[in-house]
Amino acid sequence: MAPSTATPPTFTRAVEELRAFTARPEIELEEMPAPQRLAPFAHAMSGTVLRDGDEVATGRLILLHDPAGHEAWDGTMRLVTYVTAELEAELAADPLLPVVGWSWLTDALESHGASYTAIGGTVTQTLSTRFGDLALTGPPTAADLEIRASWTPTDEDMQAHVHAWCALLASTAGLPPPGVTALH
């Protein structure tokens, strides 16, 4: 008997919850094409953080579903994210930045009640110095932070997970918590 191609109700509900989420005003969310080879069912969204009209961080959140389960996932659903932001060079050189970046994710998941298991990922800090003609076209030094992670939700509350992901985007972009005004 061939496997069913009907979309499972659990996945349909999860996607509806992701679509229904409203992010804070500085974060623009859009659906995007999902990777087709990672799981039988996938949904993806992108997020862009704007501050004073400038893009300061971007990210992707991908929901994967394999009704048969996946041993490495420890479940049937998996959330995968990639978040990146430009930083000031001094911040990118901080040896504690990866630990802090990872805590932005885990703290966001915990503070929004997003239960999970099997979490893993990387935090990469990059500091680039331009030379020659490239130094004429941009800032002499550029710094970036990338957070790549995945985790398995242990409940069906996707709103908590997307809320935590948006909090990660906001932290990576250096936005103050909602209701707090940044001093410039």
Side-chain angles (χ1 to χ4, degrees):
M1 178 178 240
S4 172
T5 57
T7 304
T10 302
F11 180 73
T12 300
R13 279 191 304 275
V15 169
E16 287 171 356
E17 284 194 32
L18 292 176
R19 286 178 173 154
F21 183 76
T22 302
R24 59 190 281 182
E26 303 92 338
I27 301 175
E28 294 179 355
L29 300 177
E30 294 182 339
E31 287 189 30
M32 61 181 287
Q36 299 300 306
R37 297 182 183 185
L38 299 177
F41 301 94
H43 176 80
M45 57 195 309
S46 66
T48 303
V49 182
L50 300 171
R51 186 173 46 224
D52 301 325
D54 294 327
E55 181 180 294
V56 292
T58 61
R60 294 186 302 264
L61 182 66
I62 303 166
L63 172 64
L64 303 173
H65 179 57
D66 187 341
H70 198 290
E71 187 177 330
W73 296 357
D74 193 22
T76 61
M77 296 266 194
R78 189 77 173 163
L79 287 163
V80 180
T81 189
Y82 168 78
V83 172
T84 185
E86 288 185 27
L87 301 174
E88 295 175 14
E90 299 79 34
L91 287 175
D94 188 334
L96 295 178
L97 182 62
V99 174
V100 171
W102 187 254
S103 75
W104 291 336
L105 172 61
T106 57
D107 290 351
L109 289 166
E110 290 169 20
S111 69
H112 291 92
S115 62
Y116 63 91
T117 190
I119 192 168
T122 62
V123 178
T124 305
Q125 61 199 89
T126 307
L127 188 59
S128 302
T129 304
R130 293 181 173 94
F131 295 96
D133 288 346
L134 286 179
L136 302 174
T137 61
T141 303
D144 297 295
L145 175 70
E146 294 179 357
I147 300 171
R148 296 175 186 263
S150 62
W151 63 95
T152 299
T154 57
D155 62 18
E156 294 186 14
D157 184 4
M158 288 299 124
Q159 288 267 321
H161 290 274
V162 72
H163 198 176
W165 178 67
C166 285
L168 170 64
L169 277 170
S171 294
T172 306
L175 295 181
V180 175
T181 302
L183 300 175
H184 294 280

